[in-house]
Structures are given as C-alpha cells and as structure tokens.
Amino acid sequence: MSVIDNERTKLLANALDRASTACFTVGVATPLAGYLYGVISFAAPVGYWLALMAAGWLGIATALHFWARRF
C-alpha cells in the first residue's frame, strides 16, 4: 500500500467518524439539551417519537463510528 493510499484510507475513516459525531449531535445531544432547558417535553405524545428517533440517530452514529474504525 502506497503512502497516498494510506492517506486516503485515513481521510475516509476520519470523514466517517466526523459524520458519526454529527449524527450524535443532531439526533441525541440537541433533543436532550432541548429537554433540559424546557424547550420540548417528553411527556407529550410527540416525545415518544422524538425519543425513538434519538435512539435511531444514536444507532446510526454508532454504526458509522465502528465502520470508520474498521478502516
């Protein structure tokens, strides 16, 4: 494997890891901050869907992170 191929592999792994961080921020950290500051309420029926979507985002972020580690 040449140096160029090695650097391209590292760039791909870094891009996937940054995408996983963005998924975590958008899907988990933002709703959690909204809940803590009282912007949203998990008691409403929409809150259950929001919690389900946050779990989905967390799953996507985890999958991207472990996929990046494989590279």
Side-chain angles (χ1 to χ4, degrees):
M1 182 178 261
S2 71
V3 175
I4 293 173
D5 291 334
N6 190 20
E7 290 298 317
R8 285 182 179 161
T9 302
K10 286 194 287 186
L11 282 172
L12 176 62
N14 285 328
L16 289 171
D17 196 42
R18 284 190 306 269
S20 73
T21 304
C23 286
F24 177 80
T25 303
V26 168
V28 178
T30 302
L32 183 62
Y35 174 73
L36 290 176
Y37 288 109
V39 177
I40 58 174
S41 172
F42 280 105
V46 175
Y48 298 115
W49 287 103
L50 188 63
L52 201 69
M53 286 189 292
W57 278 106
L58 184 62
I60 291 169
T62 303
L64 283 171
H65 176 74
F66 285 119
W67 192 27
R69 287 188 56 139
R70 287 185 56 94
F71 283 106

